[in-house]
Amino acid sequence: MNGDTPDHDQKSPLLPLHDQPISPKSLLSLQNFYILLGPLLAGLICLTVKLDAPSSRNMLAVLAWMFAWWMTEAVPMPITSMSPLFLFPVFGILTADEVAHAYMDDVIALMLGSFILALAVEHYNIHRRMALTITVLFSGEPLNPQILLLGICGTTAFISMWMHNTAVALMMMPVATGILQRFPTGPRSDVVTTKFCKAVVLGVIYSATIGGISTLTGTGVNLILVGMWKSYFPEADPITFSTYILFGFPLALFIFFAMWIILCLWFVPKGSGPTLSTYLDKSHLKRELDMLGPMAFAEKMILTIFSILIFLWMTRSITDDIPGWGALFNGRAGDGTVSVMMATLLFIIPNKKQPGEKLMDWNKCKKLPWGIVLLLGAGLALAEGVQTSGLTNVLSKALDFLEQVPYLAMAPAVCLICATLTEFITSNNATTTLVLPLLIEIAKTMHVHPLLLMLPGSIGAQLAFLLPTGTPSNVIGFTTGHIDLKDMLKTGIPLKFAGIVVLSVVMPTLGAFVFGTDSKHWSIGKSST
């Protein structure tokens, strides 16, 4: 054969085509029903619901359409997140330019810059060096399993303060399982080692979630909260990185230690140290750390840039007496400004590995989570649409009965509802986007500061500890084979309860101090409406 192909073969398609008739049965699939559910609900609302303003009714129809698609995942979530770009102009809520503006906000800039820096940390394996270093510090001689577990979980939570939860779980799980590979498996395994393996895997996935509560950049939920706060209450003091961490870090710290205590009680009893010491010693961890070699120039530069960024976030706005560097720009610069600026340096500074090669290039950024970026943009667009259409006034009137409900009962209930929803919706970002607009209207009806409900709602949406499908981090832990559903329920139920209790106590106390949410200083609801 000479490799020549007949003429008719050159014109034939690369893949065979089969004309398959579409059967009525395939059209009646559950997936197609979910796709139709959105526009059907929207049409039903437009035909049957009577409101004072047509724009309010149309906005309610759009909300029903989008929420139906989000809840059922009829189409990919990023596509649903882009639907306001055509639904708002078609339904007469906002112009194309106005709705597109919501998809590029300072909060989204903050997210993009943070994600690029996180990818740089991952690319140069800095997370592994940090994990091994801290684990060596906590392993002890002789081995103390409770302290070692604290070190692994603490490392995960610390990294998760600055990176996305799923990325942290993906990074730390190989480190954790690498430690657990030293233990016997199968018939040779004993109860002590099996339980410790469960504790480590559960600790990593839960710590990744808890660490994300600490800072604005820890998870997309916090950014959605800040974006909606800015959109609904533009005249109010913004929630800055430095302001939020004063509240989020102590809250996360309480929940973290509750998690550690629960894991130690269930899986790491006293007296397990001698058994585990047989398989795990400090010298082996040190050898792994030595194999990484000295820190290269690129790693040092990325850590330096990250440190400078954190410092700039913390000092942009400090107090009324000490305004911070943001005052030099008369409020024009935001947290997203410095986030993108520092990320840009990664594409300018050489890595000193190959001539002309920089710390980062755009090919390394292909893993940017655009779905989360679009979801945040959708949340900001919905917030703008609800206000512009007048739907906020309609919701306020419908929720008048809540004026008599005491806040001490409402906040835990809000947290519990959101913490339950997030187990089934699969995305805590979607849960937050769904419930925050409603919580804002409930807060206005109750005449309380909106953050008294917004914060319990957004943080409750992050307490997904029960089901493997609750968050991608849970899925990562579940696929290791070390844990099962019973282990997650056994640990997750008391941990979720502890998180709700801690939040219910911290919100009206520390929250009032940090955000000024006491009723004496609150006039936001009146000024914004």
Side-chain angles (χ1 to χ4, degrees), residues 19-54:
D19 294 330
Q20 296 181 349
I22 300 175
S23 64
K25 188 175 180 180
S26 65
L27 293 175
L28 296 177
S29 67
L30 188 62
Q31 185 72 12
N32 286 337
F33 171 74
Y34 287 153
I35 292 172
L36 289 173
L37 182 61
L40 285 175
L41 287 175
L44 187 64
I45 289 173
C46 288
L47 291 174
T48 60
V49 176
K50 304 297 181 184
L51 297 178
D52 294 336

Side-chain angles (χ1 to χ4, degrees), residues 276-461:
L276 297 174
S277 297
T278 308
Y279 311 104
L280 188 65
D281 60 70
K282 195 170 184 178
S283 59
H284 193 99
L285 294 171
K286 285 182 177 179
R287 283 197 298 273
E288 280 198 24
L289 186 59
D290 292 339
M291 287 173 62
L292 294 177
M295 190 174 289
F297 171 81
E299 296 175 70
K300 293 177 182 177
M301 286 306 305
I302 289 169
L303 287 177
T304 300
I305 290 171
F306 225 135
S307 301
I308 294 172
L309 176 60
I310 294 169
F311 174 77
L312 292 173
W313 276 337
M314 296 292 293
T315 57
R316 182 175 71 86
S317 177
I318 304 175
T319 64
D320 293 335
D321 297 327
I322 309 174
W325 61 263
L328 299 174
F329 301 94
N330 297 321
R332 293 189 300 271
D335 289 333
T337 307
V338 291
S339 181
V340 173
M341 180 180 72
M342 300 308 293
T344 302
L345 292 178
L346 298 176
F347 298 85
I348 297 174
I349 299 174
N351 63 9
K352 292 194 174 180
K353 287 189 173 182
Q354 299 292 336
E357 191 172 283
K358 311 300 181 185
L359 291 173
M360 285 288 284
D361 58 62
W362 189 246
N363 286 330
K364 297 185 182 78
C365 296
K366 289 179 178 178
K367 293 193 293 182
L368 278 172
W370 293 109
I372 297 176
V373 175
L374 291 172
L375 181 61
L376 176 55
L380 300 177
L382 289 177
E384 181 69 21
V386 168
Q387 290 183 89
T388 304
S389 66
L391 187 58
T392 52
N393 298 328
V394 176
L395 292 174
S396 296
K397 293 176 183 177
L399 298 169
D400 283 342
F401 68 94
L402 291 171
E403 291 184 24
Q404 309 303 320
V405 178
Y407 168 73
L408 291 177
M410 179 62 74
V414 166
C415 187
L416 178 61
I417 291 169
C418 293
T420 303
L421 278 175
T422 195
E423 300 287 354
F424 300 99
I425 294 182
T426 314
S427 168
N428 48 27
N429 296 306
T431 304
T432 308
T433 306
L434 290 173
V435 301
L436 281 190
L438 183 59
L439 293 178
I440 290 170
E441 298 311 315
I442 293 175
K444 290 179 181 178
T445 301
M446 296 177 65
H447 301 292
V448 299
H449 196 290
L451 286 177
L452 287 173
L453 295 185
M454 292 175 71
L455 279 165
S458 60
I459 292 171

